[in-house]
Amino acid sequence: MSDDIAPIITTRKDEATGFLQNMISKGLGWARKYSLFTYPYATACCGMEYMSVAAGRYDISRFGAEFPRFSPRQADLLLVVGTINLKQAPILKRVFEQMAEPKWVIAFGVCASSGGFYDNYAVLQGIDRIIPVDVYIPGCPPRPEQVLDGLMLLQDKIQNQRHYLGNKQPIPERPGYRDLAAK
Amino acid sequence: MSTFALDQIQAQLPQALVERYKDRAGEAWGVIAREHIVEVAKLLKEKLGFRLFISMDAVDRLHLPPEEQDPRFEVVYFLKNIERNEHARLKVRVNEDQDIPTIAKVFQGADWAERFVWDFYGVVFAGGQKRRILMYEEFIGHPLRKDYPLRGRQNLIPERPIQDIFRGPGTNGVQD
Ligand code: SF4
């Protein structure tokens, strides 16, 4: 038997479980994208805009990111809202590490995304230097509509990710803060 | 504007007052010799009633015309007399290798301000605390000096152990 045929053959069982897993992944993705618990890590003026997004007029809860949880243990979406300076970086990293998998990060505003106009001695030039970011929302501060758009982008991303039942979700490899700081 | 404070300094400690002038807004400024700043602060606080220490800052004169560059730093003191509603504006000029006697013994609030000046300009206060106040210990250089590189980047700082949180047996600080 030649090699190129062998992998193509799938048993009926494989097919059936693959189909089931796909359905489960889609279902979990749908459930997760509409039940994001956010942890607003608000450090600066963007926090005002976050309040406006969360309050009645724009109402982020219409999009399923209802609850701001003020403990990272209960949150699965980290909203980094505002300027992160170098003194704050280890704290942000620790908060991120404290969140349970699966977790996502939104960089809210240009300060969090790239340092913004604080191109100076004190400010971390983008939080992606220490934690992985899923969606960047530009603007100083971003309009609430922009934030909602970013949230919907994240929801698309979550829907298309692979989700697993139970604790089978593989935990992504992420460098520890110490390794980053040592570089 | 009133020159009460400077007149009194000139009368009582003439050796301390190096120069006096008025700025564009007509406010009186006195340049004090750096050895005498503690005496002047004492005189102002105890005899003349300038009991409120308002603030303190420094000026790096690196890019000014050459005749104004030496000495390099100007440390600026603002005191206030509440009864007379008057300010005293004092300056001390120092070079990088010189230090200023601390006035934290006279005005306790000057302690943080001196730490700020040391943190951001690198001016040393003899007898004061040489500890950073806003930047972190690992920071290299003094960011508000004119020769601090504009795009100078610092490294990430190590995580501090957290002493006041109990993290369970066997852990007393940071772990990865
Ligand atoms: S992006 Fe603009 S509004 Fe937001 S924290 Fe930075 S400076 Fe403030």
Side-chain angles (χ1 to χ4, degrees), chain B residues 4-53:
Chain B
F4 167 73
L6 294 184
D7 294 339
Q8 290 293 320
I9 294 172
Q10 198 155 35
Q12 300 189 30
L13 287 170
Q15 73 279 21
L17 196 67
V18 178
E19 185 192 330
R20 52 186 293 182
Y21 66 93
K22 291 206 168 163
D23 65 11
R24 273 178 298 179
E27 309 288 0
W29 286 82
V31 180
I32 308 291
R34 84 192 151 86
E35 314 75 78
H36 295 290
I37 182 69
V38 180
E39 292 165 56
V40 172
K42 263 200 190 116
L43 172 76
L44 284 173
K45 183 180 179 187
E46 283 156 18
K47 301 230 180 76
L48 308 181
F50 286 81
R51 267 187 233 105
L52 181 63
F53 174 84

Side-chain angles (χ1 to χ4, degrees), chain A residues 86-87 89-91 94 97-98 119-125 129-130 176-181 183, chain B residues 120 133-136 139 143-144 148 150-159 162 167 174-176:
Chain A
L86 285 164
K87 215 171 168 181
I91 304 166
R94 177 160 287 285
E97 280 168 356
Q98 282 176 343
D119 191 0
N120 63 13
Y121 55 92
V123 174
L124 186 69
Q125 300 297 306
R129 301 199 174 205
I130 52 168
Y177 184 79
R178 274 189 194 169
D179 309 330
L180 291 171
K183 259 184 232 160
Chain B
F120 281 85
I133 187 165
L134 292 178
M135 305 314 293
Y136 37 90
F139 195 88
L144 293 193
Y148 186 88
L150 191 61
R151 294 251 162 107
R153 296 274 180 259
Q154 302 276 333
N155 291 328
L156 286 177
I157 55 169
E159 208 172 0
I162 301 169
R167 288 178 181 282
V174 179
Q175 284 193 336
D176 274 337

Side-chain angles (χ1 to χ4, degrees), chain B residues 114-116 118-119 128-134 137:
Chain B
E114 285 177 354
R115 275 171 66 187
F116 169 82
W118 186 79
D119 190 356
Q129 295 194 55
K130 207 172 164 185
R131 247 170 73 210
R132 292 189 181 272
I133 187 165
L134 292 178
E137 249 96 89

